[in-house]
Amino acid sequence: MSVRTYNPSVRVGNWNEDICLEEDLLKDFLDKKEKGELLIQKSHNLMHNILKKSELTVTTDGFVHFGDTVMLVNPGQETVPLSLQQIEPPRPATSLSINIDEHKMHTACQVEGPCNVSASRMLNPSARNSFVITSVDGSENGSPLKFGQPFAISTTGGYAGNLKLFSDHARFNLSAKKSRQQVVQLVDEVNYLSTWQVLAYHPQHRLEFEGRPVPGNCKIVVSHNKTGQALSTPDECGLKTPFGREFEVSAHTVLDTHKAEKDNNHWVFVSGNPSDDVTTHFDRPEPQPSGAPKSVEEPTSADKPSTT
């Protein structure tokens, strides 16, 4: 087998075929570039679509309603001993996000099921981490979601594909990748396996709160209807995704010594910020208690008006 040691401009060997071959390669490249089929163009379009800013619903009465676009945010690890913080930092606040497969992300025109989910540190609302509260029992859009009422968690329309959050019992061929717990993923169809319900944050208040509207921007527990397992972000289960290092999401109830769910199972339906169209309600500063000292400086004696 002979190896070409000259470039095509040198008229030796099959020089005419080499020139035609390079012209064909350049023509194919220009055609793909014009149609937007180059890998770098697909990656750019994907990032532009999946990370495109989305508008969250602004709640007017403080409750979550059917049809609302919200984010599901885990507030993160609450209590970590100081001795362990230097060894391993506490789990930060994360949002439930679409984790599209790296092999499909360059070819699919939209997110297709089944698709994995993960807990991302990106808390800015986008098509990747925005979800719609969907009715499964005929409730109208705009009616409040109630504790214990079945509902579906759907991705937004368009590029996100309008998929439903799904879970089922852990099996040999269907389980979470790292923790081997009950799998959570996005699917196309709506059935009993893709229905969830909201439980009160405090276990002793659940019977009292049954049937009441679910408040937004407050800690709650999202439980799977069929298996009874709560949506969870397991500790020490990191994932390597096209968007960076993130956490795994599964359906597994983690209880403490008081039979109450740990912070792994705590979630917040985050709505839009009514006073700002850039941030979310999760970013709003905490209100100061009534007895807190004011930040305004007290006037000095020289500034006070004379009483004489």
Side-chain angles (χ1 to χ4, degrees):
M1 181 179 179
S2 62
V3 180
R4 191 182 70 182
T5 58
Y6 300 95
N7 58 41
S9 61
V10 180
R11 301 298 192 260
V12 295
N14 297 329
W15 59 270
N16 191 33
E17 295 179 4
D18 295 337
I19 292 178
C20 292
L21 179 60
E22 288 203 354
E23 290 178 353
D24 290 340
L25 290 176
L26 180 60
K27 184 179 179 181
D28 292 340
F29 172 79
L30 295 176
D31 288 342
K32 288 184 178 181
K33 181 180 179 181
E34 185 178 355
K35 296 178 181 178
E37 296 178 353
L38 295 178
L39 183 60
I40 188 172
Q41 292 176 320
K42 292 181 179 179
S43 301
H44 176 75
N45 293 335
L46 171 75
M47 293 300 178
H48 177 73
N49 291 327
I50 197 81
L51 299 180
K52 184 178 180 181
K53 178 186 174 183
S54 63
E55 298 292 336
L56 301 182
T57 303
V58 177
T59 176
T60 56
D61 54 3
F63 299 118
V64 180
H65 307 82
F66 288 107
D68 285 359
T69 302
V70 297
M71 291 171 54
L72 271 77
V73 175
N74 181 280
Q77 205 161 355
E78 298 175 353
T79 57
V80 178
L82 295 177
S83 58
L84 296 179
Q85 289 185 5
Q86 299 178 354
I87 302 175
E88 183 178 357
R91 189 180 69 257
T94 54
S95 62
L96 183 69
S97 305
I98 301 173
N99 184 16
I100 187 171
D101 186 71
E102 191 169 2
H103 299 287
K104 296 181 180 179
M105 63 187 301
H106 302 300
T107 57
C109 58
Q110 67 176 15
V111 181
E112 300 175 351
C115 178
N116 297 325
V117 294
S118 60
S120 173
R121 299 180 184 180
M122 294 186 295
L123 300 180
N124 297 323
S126 63
R128 185 173 178 240
N129 58 12
S130 299
F131 295 89
V132 180
I133 306 299
T134 307
S135 172
V136 295
D137 58 359
S139 300
E140 297 181 356
N141 285 344
S143 59
L145 173 67
K146 299 178 181 178
F147 286 100
Q149 184 178 11
F151 71 102
I153 302 174
S154 308
T155 60
T156 56
Y159 184 81
N162 194 22
L163 305 178
K164 306 297 184 292
L165 196 66
F166 160 93
S167 186
D168 197 2
H169 288 290
R171 300 192 294 270
F172 175 76
N173 59 345
L174 186 66
S175 61
K177 183 178 180 181
K178 293 285 187 179
S179 62
R180 310 305 298 177
Q181 295 172 356
Q182 188 172 310
V183 68
V184 174
Q185 58 186 6
L186 297 168
V187 296
D188 299 312
E189 66 274 3
V190 181
N191 52 34
Y192 189 58
L193 297 176
S194 57
T195 59
W196 305 77
Q197 62 175 325
V198 178
L199 303 179
Y201 165 71
H202 200 292
Q204 296 183 354
H205 296 167
R206 287 175 186 169
L207 185 61
E208 179 182 354
F209 277 72
E210 189 77 17
R212 293 189 178 183
V214 176
N217 307 293
C218 297
K219 289 183 181 179
I220 46 91
V221 176
V222 181
S223 176
H224 191 242
N225 275 339
K226 178 184 177 182
T227 63
Q229 298 293 326
L231 194 65
S232 171
T233 54
D235 292 325
E236 301 178 359
C237 287
L239 293 176
K240 187 181 294 184
T241 71
F243 307 94
R245 196 75 176 176
E246 298 180 350
F247 295 93
E248 187 179 65
V249 175
S250 64
H252 180 72
T253 305
V254 185
L255 301 177
D256 58 12
T257 55
H258 300 285
K259 302 297 182 181
E261 288 81 5
K262 291 186 177 181
D263 49 32
N264 306 79
N265 299 129
H266 296 165
W267 296 89
V268 177
F269 286 126
V270 178
S271 61
N273 190 349
S275 59
D276 189 359
D277 59 351
V278 178
T279 60
T280 64
H281 205 288
F282 192 74
D283 301 321
R284 301 189 69 179
E286 293 290 337
Q288 291 187 355
S290 57
K294 297 182 179 180
S295 59
V296 181
E297 297 182 358
E298 292 291 337
T300 60
S301 58
D303 298 331
K304 294 181 180 179
S306 176
T307 57
T308 58

